[in-house]
Amino acid sequence: MKTFVRCGQLFTGAEDEAQKDAALVYDGDGRIVYAGPEAGAPRRGRGARVVDHSGGFLMPGLIDVHTHLAYGNAKSEEDIDLYSPLEFRALRGMFFAQKVLAAGYTAICSPGDAGQISLSIRDAIAAGLFDGPRVMAAGPYLTTHQGLTDWYPTWIGAPDTSIGKLVTNVNEAVEEIRRQVKNGVDCVKIAMDGIQRRPDGELIAAFTQEETDIMVREIHRQGKKAVAHAVGREATLYSARAGIDLIFHGFHLDDECIAAMLKNGCMLGPTLTQPKNIIEFTQPHEPAAQKGRPEAVERRYRLGCANLKKAVKAGVPFLTGTDSGFAVTPYGEWHAREIELFVEDLGFTPAAALRAATEISARFMTGGDAIGVLAPGRTADFTAWDGSPLADIRVLQDKSRLRGVYQAGREVRIPDRPYDPRQVTDFSLSNWTDLYTQARVAELRPPPKRLEAAE
Ligand SMILES: [Zn+2]
């Protein structure tokens, strides 16, 4: 049985304009047979189902290529790595994956997660056990002592429940890649740098060029995609030269990086939402503020946007991702902010930003040639909105204007179930964020309550 969807406006993802008074038609398997002006639609057979979005704006389901299903809206790296078993994190990740879908995101990539959390969530959704977005899954990041996720002192190391797998030589890296591929990952994430800098301030790449080349060759030999966290110039350059499919951040890229990215067909996911939220949301009492992090992030963000604009201009494909899963980027809340930031801070037109979040991001995804564009032969993953994001890009962040989320032609409805973060994520042992010396206590007004002296 065919379904006819009447669309006030239809944005297919393949063009920069929306078509007025259009129709989307798909078959019983959710495969699109027509997308275009209603007047040209195939004849409606007897008993065909009609869905009326004649007052709405239809577009492909949105894609976030940077949502970590294992993180759990964490307030610290320890929250991510230590305090809950992998099994609990998988169940929690499923709950949060549904919040992402409810926000209009029908597909995500979870690039770097502990254990086999993302791929288990992917498989459970694909098997029809739960509603959820299509998930492209990775295992733990490959890292060295200079890379992201090797947070703890050397005498602790990276625990087995960490999001990172510490490798100490290239043979161990290749072994880990083969293990992850056997377990069924779609992509392998490499922590190409972290937080360690040289005395001159430059971020140090976690792997040499030669090591990076060997890892990426092995990932590609196995038919998988390689993704990298690379903020600094060196890590971005090594990633680009090695032909990593998707580079996250790239804030310090230069012309040499851009040339290598274009030559090797690398895509870029700048992930602007997480730093922007750190800058805007962090409150003065929080440890991040007291460590001066928002100011440091703001400096890097400004510089990053200036550099990234050069890559946009040069024609590097930009993908939308948010680093959702932190306390500043809770699941289901800020995914579409990335689209707004593409417009505000990178100079995209609204249409180009929408295409980045649909057609362009789909190019990276496993099975991406079936999603991202509303065209015959593709799958009917789409969203309907009350209002045009081409006129106001913020519409996509307003849940009250999301009229419907459809996967393979089926409308999915996720109940908006609340949760208590103290029972879900906040298992950290830290209790205070201040040091109560006599001087500090004297500073604080009113003074803290004293216990009554015992009788
Ligand atoms: Zn990330």
Side-chain angles (χ1 to χ4, degrees):
M1 187 179 71
K2 284 201 180 72
T3 300
F4 285 72
V5 186
R6 303 187 61 205
C7 322
Q9 294 186 68
L10 174 67
F11 183 82
T12 64
E15 298 140 15
D16 282 344
E17 308 274 307
Q19 304 175 33
K20 288 211 168 89
D21 302 320
L24 179 73
V25 185
Y26 49 87
D27 65 18
D29 296 326
R31 192 188 305 268
I32 298 169
V33 295
Y34 179 82
E38 190 169 6
R43 274 175 61 91
R44 227 182 274 165
R46 243 183 200 283
R49 199 167 69 104
V50 179
V51 178
D52 188 10
H53 283 298
S54 53
F57 183 99
L58 246 81
M59 62 176 291
L62 293 159
I63 301 172
D64 186 323
V65 296
H66 200 158
T67 286
H68 295 284
L69 291 175
Y71 288 18
N73 293 340
K75 297 191 171 102
S76 70
E77 300 299 338
E78 289 90 337
D79 276 345
I80 293 174
D81 283 349
L82 301 182
Y83 301 115
S84 49
L86 298 178
E87 293 82 355
F88 179 78
R89 287 186 234 173
L91 294 165
R92 181 181 69 186
M94 177 62 76
F95 173 76
F96 284 134
Q98 294 191 331
K99 296 223 175 280
V100 180
L101 176 62
Y105 280 73
T106 54
I108 59 172
C109 177
S110 188
D113 270 335
Q116 301 188 40
I117 291 170
S118 299
L119 59 101
S120 300
I121 295 170
R122 174 197 67 192
D123 292 350
I125 292 169
L129 306 186
F130 298 92
D131 283 329
R134 299 174 197 279
V135 176
M136 181 171 176
Y141 303 47
L142 271 65
T143 193
T144 72
H145 293 303
Q146 274 63 52
L148 209 67
T149 78
D150 184 38
W151 306 115
Y152 313 108
T154 52
W155 55 93
I156 305 281
D160 287 345
T161 54
S162 158
I163 53 166
K165 169 69 182 175
L166 183 62
V167 293
T168 57
N169 59 57
V170 77
N171 291 336
E172 274 185 35
V174 169
E175 160 60 15
E176 177 63 16
I177 290 164
R178 291 175 180 163
R179 207 176 70 89
Q180 291 192 11
V181 170
K182 182 174 180 184
N183 287 341
V185 296
D186 297 297
C187 56
V188 176
K189 172 101 169 248
I190 305 174
M192 280 302 298
D193 58 15
I195 53 175
Q196 289 193 46
R197 294 169 187 272
R198 294 203 180 83
D200 67 359
E202 179 160 6
L203 277 165
I204 304 167
F207 293 91
T208 64
Q209 182 70 68
E210 202 182 357
E211 290 166 337
T212 313
D213 291 342
I214 292 169
M215 289 188 291
V216 174
R217 252 202 316 273
E218 182 60 16
I219 295 164
H220 285 164
R221 189 179 76 83
Q222 303 260 8
K224 304 298 176 184
K225 287 194 167 159
V227 302
H229 168 99
V231 172
R233 191 197 78 92
E234 191 174 84
T236 307
L237 183 60
Y238 292 176
S239 302
R241 282 186 188 149
I244 282 183
D245 301 272
L246 173 54
I247 298 170
F248 290 117
H249 315 301
F251 277 24
H252 295 278
L253 58 75
D254 62 5
D255 292 343
E256 201 181 355
C257 297
I258 293 172
M261 292 175 90
L262 291 172
K263 178 167 171 247
N264 294 322
C266 309
M267 305 176 111
L268 191 61
T271 313
L272 303 177
T273 302
Q274 201 240 21
K276 192 80 169 192
N277 287 5
I278 290 173
I279 297 163
E280 292 190 358
F281 301 165
T282 304
Q283 299 299 306
H285 67 271
E286 293 183 305
Q290 294 179 10
K291 287 186 264 187
R293 190 143 175 236
E295 292 79 8
V297 171
E298 184 165 5
R299 280 194 298 277
R300 195 162 67 223
Y301 188 88
R302 284 178 194 281
L303 184 78
C305 286
N307 290 333
L308 291 164
K309 277 182 183 165
K310 292 181 206 158
V312 176
K313 206 167 158 212
V316 174
F318 271 55
L319 277 53
T320 49
T322 50
D323 238 330
S324 282
F326 291 98
V328 288
T329 49
Y331 303 99
E333 295 286 328
W334 302 105
H335 304 277
R337 189 173 202 205
E338 188 76 8
I339 304 172
E340 180 193 353
L341 296 176
F342 270 37
V343 173
E344 295 293 314
D345 293 340
L346 295 181
F348 278 60
T349 63
L354 289 192
R355 290 183 65 180
T358 54
E359 185 238 338
I360 314 272
S361 285
R363 290 185 206 166
F364 165 73
M365 301 290 287
T366 305
D369 52 2
I371 58 173
V373 178
L374 300 176
R378 299 221 187 195
T379 301
D381 280 12
F382 62 95
T383 52
W385 301 86
D386 177 15
S388 168
L390 294 175
D392 176 7
I393 203 74
R394 289 184 191 86
V395 163
L396 301 174
Q397 293 170 64
D398 184 348
K399 289 176 204 174
S400 71
R401 300 178 80 168
L402 179 53
R403 292 266 195 85
V405 180
Y406 296 76
Q407 283 181 305
R410 184 178 69 91
E411 184 174 12
V412 279
R413 292 196 183 153
I414 308 285
D416 189 16
R417 187 192 293 259
Y419 64 96
D420 176 358
R422 283 168 301 180
Q423 295 179 8
V424 172
T425 308
D426 303 348
F427 306 118
S428 154
L429 303 173
S430 71
N431 290 316
W432 297 280
T433 57
D434 211 335
L435 180 66
Y436 297 96
T437 58
Q438 292 192 2
R440 179 65 181 139
V441 171
E443 248 173 53
L444 294 166
R445 290 289 179 270
K449 224 176 183 175
R450 285 165 181 273
L451 289 174
E452 293 292 318
E455 287 294 307

